[in-house]
Amino acid sequence: MTHRVRVKEPETAPGASGDIEVPGRDITPGRGRLLEPLGLTLVAGAGVLFVVRPEFYAAGVHLFATWAASLVQ
């Protein structure tokens, strides 16, 4: 699910894939292991809430719309 960024060395050929794991070259070392399941849990919870209690979705849209309208005035 989480894709690691591979850093190509300057001396590599243009067609090289750069799939060799180099320790310390991960863009966010270790953070994805905690944040990804947390984000997926929040999205799943919001999806369940949208299906079970759709009036919360309508109230959220109304709240956002009134907040945006207050910024315009």
Side-chain angles (χ1 to χ4, degrees), residues 14-37:
S17 65
D19 285 336
I20 301 171
E21 287 230 11
V22 179
R25 295 287 179 113
D26 191 11
I27 194 75
T28 54
R31 286 186 62 195
R33 292 190 181 124
L34 173 66
L35 294 179
E36 187 174 359

Side-chain angles (χ1 to χ4, degrees), residues 3-50:
H3 300 285
R4 294 176 182 242
V5 174
R6 307 288 185 218
V7 178
K8 289 186 179 181
E9 297 296 326
E11 63 269 7
T12 58
S17 65
D19 285 336
I20 301 171
E21 287 230 11
V22 179
R25 295 287 179 113
D26 191 11
I27 194 75
T28 54
R31 286 186 62 195
R33 292 190 181 124
L34 173 66
L35 294 179
E36 187 174 359
L38 179 64
L40 289 173
T41 303
L42 289 173
V43 169
V48 168
L49 190 61
F50 174 71

Side-chain angles (χ1 to χ4, degrees), residues 31-72:
R31 286 186 62 195
R33 292 190 181 124
L34 173 66
L35 294 179
E36 187 174 359
L38 179 64
L40 289 173
T41 303
L42 289 173
V43 169
V48 168
L49 190 61
F50 174 71
V51 170
V52 174
R53 303 291 294 238
E55 64 268 10
F56 283 138
Y57 176 73
V61 169
H62 178 70
L63 181 68
F64 180 74
T66 55
W67 173 75
S70 71
L71 289 178
V72 173

